[in-house]
Amino acid sequence: MLSLKTALLRSRCMNVTFLRDAVGGGRITYWKHFVTRRKLNTATVPATTVPNAATNKIVGRWLIACSGMVAGAVILGGVTRLTESGLSMVDWHLVKEMKPPSTRQEWEAEFQKYQQFPEFKILNHDMTLTEFKFIWYMEYSHRMCGRAVGLAYILPAVYFWRKGWFTKSMKGQVLGLCGFVCFQGLLGWYMVKSGLEEKPESFDIPRVSQYRLAAHLGSALVLYCASLWSGLSLLLPPNKMPQTLQLLKFKKYAHWTTGLVFFTAISGAFVAGLDAGLVYNSYPKMGTRWIPEDLLAFSPKIKNFFENPTTVQFDHRILLQSSLTGITGVTAITALYLFARRLPLPRRTSMAVTSLVTMAYLQVTLGICTLLFYVPTTLAAAHQSGSLVLLSIALWLMNELKRVPK
């Protein structure tokens, strides 16, 4: 209050001096008087420093929203794959393809382009234009969703950067996220191209490479996890936990469990890429055997783990069960839950553990039902979405524990 009165008093004195000198022909000019007053006013009113708690909340919510959009794109991509729509758009243009065909002539021209590629010749040779429109719009929606995700990252990032709302470390993270979004789009087209290539030596139905599909899904999950982690770190207040040996063991165990959930989701891309879910539709046995006869039918043996549908489904079952069953036969996530009950965890951390074990058993149930009912689109999409939910909860738990020193 005192500094403000002093500033006003000085300002009045300066005004009087200015008028006196102006009448008497003094040297003081108006611009010099204005600059002096501006400096005085700036000095007396402290500026708010950024980034601060308020800006961090805004940036955190933006990152959470971006991760939600990535999750939506992943789920839509899974449905596109399940409806066999991913190869309906046979070229890629960043801007040109944003406008869909509007006349019958344009639709017929698009359909004729599709007819030149293996999927139509081998699998969909009796497809009508109406049926083609459905699969085309599925792929179109997925691509447009990807572009919306890119804009959701890049445009706010530019605005926040100009406002100075990013710390030095956050600037590096944001640059990495925006770069990864662009890379993800290019990787998606690289994946689609593998399904458009002529393969005279193959008698299988046309499909994208399971390696490229796994890379495309894996990069999307990395983008999702990084955005979600950064957003939670900015929004959630730190927990106060005792630094005990038991808590350190719990943190390490939680990290291993999260890694297992992530790799189980990646293995699902190989199952989808090879249609391995259609090979053995029984559980817990595969057909009439616990270990199928054609488990290692390919040579060299290493190819079976990536190209043999039987082995790929077997691996996915084992990983899924491993995320529930440890080496000792005790369920890993259940053990994590029982371990957590013996620790003095904050309420929010306990909620994360309970949510994780609940979602884990729900995800296993969805996976078994999807297999037994011969991979219906609804159940398969729910199973794929469940993997994202399970991974999200595991990341939430890791974020709650991240302030515990190693």
Side-chain angles (χ1 to χ4, degrees), residues 264-332:
T264 303
I266 297 298
S267 76
F270 285 92
V271 175
L274 292 170
D275 287 330
L278 304 176
V279 179
Y280 287 97
N281 298 96
S282 58
Y283 189 88
K285 292 183 178 181
M286 297 182 71
T288 59
R289 301 170 61 94
W290 290 102
I291 299 178
E293 292 180 342
D294 56 340
L295 185 66
L296 298 175
F298 290 9
S299 182
K301 301 297 185 185
I302 191 66
K303 287 181 63 177
N304 289 279
F305 295 95
F306 305 103
E307 299 181 14
N308 185 344
T310 299
T311 312
V312 167
Q313 188 192 121
F314 182 81
D315 292 343
H316 189 62
R317 290 185 184 215
I318 294 299
L319 279 171
L320 181 63
Q321 293 165 2
S322 294
S323 63
L324 289 170
T325 309
I327 298 175
T328 60
V330 182
T331 55

Side-chain angles (χ1 to χ4, degrees), residues 77-266:
V79 176
T80 302
R81 169 67 189 165
L82 289 166
T83 55
E84 298 181 346
S85 306
L87 299 177
S88 56
M89 296 180 71
V90 297
D91 47 20
W92 189 87
H93 302 283
L94 183 61
V95 179
K96 182 181 177 182
E97 71 181 24
M98 294 179 70
K99 181 181 179 297
S102 56
T103 64
R104 183 174 180 83
Q105 289 76 15
E106 290 177 347
W107 275 114
E108 288 178 347
E110 193 72 25
F111 192 26
Q112 287 174 5
K113 288 194 295 183
Y114 174 69
Q115 292 172 0
Q116 307 305 312
F117 288 88
E119 186 176 68
F120 177 83
K121 296 177 182 178
I122 299 174
L123 189 63
N124 294 331
H125 51 84
D126 56 348
M127 176 176 280
T128 64
L129 181 61
T130 302
E131 293 170 334
F132 171 71
K133 286 182 179 182
F134 171 77
I135 64 171
W136 192 92
Y137 269 120
M138 286 297 302
E139 174 64 10
Y140 174 79
S141 300
H142 182 52
R143 294 192 185 190
M144 292 305 103
C145 184
R147 284 163 173 76
V149 170
L151 292 176
Y153 273 95
I154 294 171
L155 295 182
V158 172
Y159 174 78
F160 295 150
W161 194 298
R162 290 175 62 88
K163 298 282 285 186
W165 289 5
F166 294 143
T167 61
K168 187 176 181 180
S169 60
M170 182 57 69
K171 286 180 178 179
Q173 294 178 37
V174 169
L175 283 176
L177 292 174
C178 292
F180 218 76
V181 169
C182 300
F183 170 74
Q184 175 70 0
L186 295 174
L187 188 58
W189 171 241
Y190 178 66
M191 176 194 71
V192 170
K193 281 185 65 177
S194 66
L196 300 175
E197 297 169 354
E198 297 279 357
K199 300 174 183 176
E201 73 283 354
S202 176
F203 297 97
D204 202 356
I205 63 173
R207 57 165 63 98
V208 299
S209 165
Q210 68 271 25
Y211 298 102
R212 299 186 191 184
L213 177 61
H216 187 47
L217 175 64
S219 62
L221 291 180
V222 169
L223 178 64
Y224 172 75
C225 291
S227 303
L228 182 62
W229 179 270
S230 299
L232 291 175
S233 299
L234 290 172
L235 290 176
L236 294 181
N239 284 317
K240 295 181 180 180
M241 300 186 194
Q243 300 178 17
T244 63
L245 181 61
Q246 290 291 93
L247 191 58
L248 295 179
K249 289 182 179 179
F250 178 75
K251 177 182 179 180
K252 186 180 296 185
Y253 196 47
H255 286 188
W256 279 103
T257 303
T258 303
L260 196 55
V261 170
F262 182 87
F263 283 110
T264 303
I266 297 298

